[in-house]
Amino acid sequence: MSEIRNYPSVNDFKQLADENSEVRFVSKNNEMFGTGKVGAFFSGQNARMAAMSDFIAAVNREYGDEIGNLAANLLAAPKMQGRALTGSMVKDILAACSSEQSRIAEYNLKAAGQQAPEAVNQLLEEITAHRDLNESEKDTVQSFLEHNLGKAVSSLKDPVTADRLCKALREVTQQDLPELLAFIGKEEFPQSSDLASVKDMLSDLPPLIGYELGKQICSAQHVCLVANYAKTHVNDILNAAGPGGEITREAVWKGLSGTNELPPDMSLDKMGAYDFNKALVNTVISSKLFASPEFSGLTQEGKEKGVAAVDSALDRGLKFDVAVSCLKGQHTITLADFSKPLHVDVAHFTKSMQDAETGLVRDLSRRGGWAEGNANNRQFDSTINFEKKDGSTESISLTHPQKYILSDDDLENYKGLKKSSVSLQCCAQALQLCNGNELQAARLVGALGQQSIVWARFVSPILNVLTPKQVIGEHSPASIYAKRLENGDISVSMHTLDPNRTSYSISYLVKPDGSTPVTAIEIRPVSLRPQASPAPSE
């Protein structure tokens, strides 16, 4: 006697029937068994009828009500006679069910077109009933539903009607609909969604295209690079998807690679989202970025760093076409090369002068060459200069800070990235320059640190893919000049000092309300600097 689990499936019945066409099915105490003719007889009529009912219920779950009714009708006579369900009966009925399933599927494909408009309208009305969607947003949701009609029709088990198709469409879209609504700005993104990371980058595409593309690429490690690269090739991706087709992984791969061939050693459908995008970067995008002869000697590690540099620069707002042109190291980056206005981001840690000073000391001794690992900076005199009301300048040297150091302990604090007389003097000069406006002074002090040179860290490496020893960072030696303008703004300019590395200069304002807009920026590779000193050998 072979035991079958509770709530048996069609496959449970089929497996025992395939093993023995003469098997009889009985059910006792919520347990299903396969037994012989004698065992079925002594199990009693109730056990035999229970097994038959369980089989009909399993067919109903697997194939739907229509085919479930077919199975019930075919078993009506044996059931009336009190006979046991046999393996041969199971085989015959499942063959009839399979035939009917094919007939229904064929019918649904032909008839769905007639029922689709009503089904879509029903669900669209349901979705928009409690949401304030404009006509454009309604069109996007409607297109989304229409794109999913094929999945809904395929999921139908019974002959299509408008109501059944509407229900199926609701089920196949219920997981993705919240993300679509969030993508068009009508709801918050679910916590589990990565789509928020690409929303702004794809916002200039038609919403449904941006959404479908974003779904495929939002789990990338270098998501800014993948999103911008895919956006510039969106027509190729749409061509690969076909007229009215959904943007799938296959379409993304074919559109970006420029070939209809899929990688033979990769199963795109079975790959995790992160692994798919990693393969996309390493196999397709990287080869396109570094295809020109200038990069023929670039190692794999160099290419990986180059990819990371492009992604980082894009994340900081550099335009994609500019980022690509920068890879050869023959472009000077200016404010016009960024896709959005820049500002020195210090508001989050400059709520008070004390907080601002804490942020500033992280960079002072590093830039001056005293902190561990920054000794080379001592060959340059990094300074912070405050222009006073009388036109004179108070210059605070970070490389030679002795003018403000009060004791050996004070010097150790300065070297150890702690508050010292140097940071205290910077705060005092900032307060004086800002006429006692503590908010403005705190923002100025915060900006004097590494926050005003972050573009050196996150953008400039894109110019040094071929010249890595010329790269600069946020602690590079630099001089800063701050002065008060007649309208109360503080004008600040900074420039780096090492002639053998990429140069960086920035100008920004610190306004009385604490805002810090950037007014100019220039990041220039050594090869384009006038009278550049010989670069270090690679």
Side-chain angles (χ1 to χ4, degrees):
M1 185 177 288
S2 302
E3 180 180 334
I4 308 175
R5 63 182 177 79
N6 289 334
Y7 304 106
S9 67
V10 167
N11 193 54
D12 290 328
F13 286 98
K14 182 178 182 301
Q15 284 183 348
L16 287 179
D18 287 342
E19 291 173 5
N20 181 6
S21 297
E22 298 302 317
V23 69
R24 266 72 171 170
F25 295 93
V26 296
S27 178
K28 283 185 177 182
N29 301 321
N30 294 322
E31 295 290 340
M32 181 70 72
F33 299 95
T35 185
K37 184 175 181 179
V38 175
F41 176 79
F42 283 107
S43 293
Q45 184 171 341
N46 288 341
R48 296 193 295 273
M49 295 305 99
M52 200 170 289
S53 295
D54 283 344
F55 176 66
I56 294 171
V59 172
N60 215 43
R61 290 193 299 271
E62 181 79 14
Y63 295 104
D65 294 341
E66 188 87 1
I67 296 178
N69 290 336
L70 170 65
N73 291 335
L74 292 174
L75 287 174
K79 194 170 186 180
M80 285 286 292
Q81 298 165 4
R83 295 164 55 192
L85 177 69
T86 66
S88 60
M89 288 181 189
V90 167
K91 289 182 177 181
D92 291 343
I93 291 172
L94 290 183
C97 290
S98 178
S99 177
E100 183 66 5
Q101 183 185 38
S102 298
R103 187 193 68 79
I104 291 175
E106 185 177 351
Y107 167 79
N108 285 347
L109 286 176
K110 295 178 180 178
Q114 298 175 351
Q115 307 298 333
E118 184 179 347
V120 169
N121 287 335
Q122 281 185 30
L123 188 52
L124 184 61
E125 288 178 5
E126 178 184 313
I127 293 169
T128 58
H130 304 292
R131 296 181 177 92
D132 183 21
L133 272 62
N134 60 36
E135 291 304 314
S136 176
E137 291 163 347
K138 287 180 181 178
D139 289 344
T140 298
V141 175
Q142 181 174 336
S143 297
F144 165 74
L145 296 178
E146 291 169 349
H147 269 213
N148 283 276
L149 278 170
K151 295 178 184 176
V153 173
S154 297
S155 71
L156 285 174
K157 298 176 180 178
D158 296 309
V160 64
T161 64
D163 288 341
R164 283 172 175 167
L165 184 55
C166 179
K167 180 181 178 182
L169 190 56
R170 185 187 301 110
E171 291 173 351
V172 300
T173 60
Q174 64 181 354
Q175 183 174 347
D176 291 339
L177 180 61
E179 283 193 312
L180 173 70
L181 292 171
F183 193 82
I184 62 176
K186 307 311 293 186
E187 291 186 1
E188 296 293 326
F189 278 103
Q191 289 187 347
S192 59
S193 174
D194 292 325
L195 198 56
S197 64
V198 297
K199 177 180 182 294
D200 291 341
M201 287 180 276
L202 302 177
S203 61
D204 50 347
L205 294 176
L208 187 58
I209 292 176
Y211 163 77
E212 288 188 353
L213 178 57
K215 287 281 289 182
Q216 300 301 332
I217 63 174
C218 63
S219 297
Q221 177 185 8
H222 301 304
V223 66
C224 294
L225 170 58
V226 176
N228 279 275
Y229 191 86
K231 184 169 65 174
T232 61
H233 293 78
V234 68
N235 288 333
D236 297 324
I237 294 172
L238 292 175
N239 288 337
E246 183 181 0
I247 296 178
T248 61
R249 283 185 179 181
E250 183 175 331
V252 172
W253 189 280
K254 289 181 177 180
L256 297 188
S257 65
T259 175
N260 287 326
E261 298 296 326
L262 294 175
D265 57 338
M266 295 182 187
S267 178
L268 298 185
D269 292 335
K270 294 181 180 179
M271 295 173 72
Y274 179 86
D275 291 334
F276 167 68
N277 282 284
K278 183 178 179 180
L280 200 61
V281 170
N282 293 340
T283 306
V284 178
I285 299 178
S286 179
S287 64
K288 300 284 187 180
L289 290 177
F290 303 112
S292 62
E294 290 91 337
F295 301 107
S296 59
L298 196 61
T299 64
Q300 181 60 33
E301 181 183 2
K303 291 178 181 179
E304 291 174 359
K305 289 182 177 180
V307 164
V310 176
D311 183 69
S312 176
L314 293 172
D315 187 41
R316 291 289 164 164
L318 197 68
K319 296 175 182 176
F320 179 73
D321 58 336
V322 174
V324 174
S325 68
C326 284
L327 285 170
K328 297 177 182 179
Q330 297 298 310
H331 180 81
T332 297
I333 298 171
T334 67
L335 199 58
D337 292 327
F338 290 84
S339 60
K340 55 188 177 184
L342 304 182
H343 68 278
V344 181
D345 185 15
V346 293
H348 60 290
F349 70 89
T350 56
K351 295 179 180 179
S352 68
M353 284 296 291
Q354 183 175 355
D355 290 342
E357 184 180 1
T358 300
L360 177 63
V361 298
R362 289 196 299 263
D363 189 54
L364 292 181
S365 67
R366 288 170 173 165
R367 194 182 303 164
W370 293 97
E372 185 177 352
N374 296 94
N376 288 337
N377 285 5
R378 271 188 246 169
Q379 61 185 301
F380 306 99
D381 189 12
S382 293
T383 58
I384 299 178
N385 304 276
F386 299 90
E387 184 179 301
K388 297 183 176 182
K389 293 180 180 179
D390 61 6
S392 63
T393 299
E394 182 69 23
S395 182
I396 300 175
S397 174
L398 306 183
T399 308
H400 308 287
Q402 285 76 9
K403 176 181 176 181
Y404 298 102
I405 294 298
L406 301 180
S407 65
D408 290 342
D409 288 342
D410 196 22
L411 179 61
E412 289 306 310
N413 284 340
Y414 173 68
K415 293 179 180 180
L417 306 180
K418 299 176 182 178
K419 293 181 180 180
S420 66
S421 298
V422 177
S423 61
L424 184 65
Q425 184 60 219
C426 288
C427 292
Q429 291 296 329
L431 269 171
Q432 184 176 344
L433 199 62
C434 296
N435 283 350
N437 182 335
E438 289 200 11
L439 172 64
Q440 186 180 26
R443 298 290 164 80
L444 172 57
V445 170
L448 295 176
Q450 64 190 51
Q451 292 302 111
S452 58
I453 199 173
V454 291
W455 291 277
R457 174 180 178 178
F458 294 109
V459 176
S460 68
I462 201 171
L463 295 170
N464 300 121
V465 174
L466 295 173
T467 54
K469 291 186 179 180
Q470 295 175 12
V471 72
I472 54 172
E474 71 272 31
H475 306 304
S476 293
S479 287
I480 299 176
Y481 297 83
K483 66 178 182 179
R484 184 179 182 85
L485 303 181
E486 291 184 2
N487 65 356
D489 292 349
I490 307 301
S491 172
V492 186
S493 61
M494 165 192 275
H495 66 270
T496 54
L497 302 173
D498 191 338
N500 294 318
R501 294 182 181 271
T502 295
S503 68
Y504 174 90
S505 63
I506 186 173
S507 297
Y508 57 94
L509 299 174
V510 183
K511 293 180 170 291
D513 64 1
S515 58
T516 51
V518 175
T519 58
I521 191 170
E522 182 184 279
I523 309 175
R524 186 186 294 270
V526 172
S527 60
L528 299 182
R529 294 176 66 176
Q531 299 178 345
S533 300
S537 58
E538 298 299 330

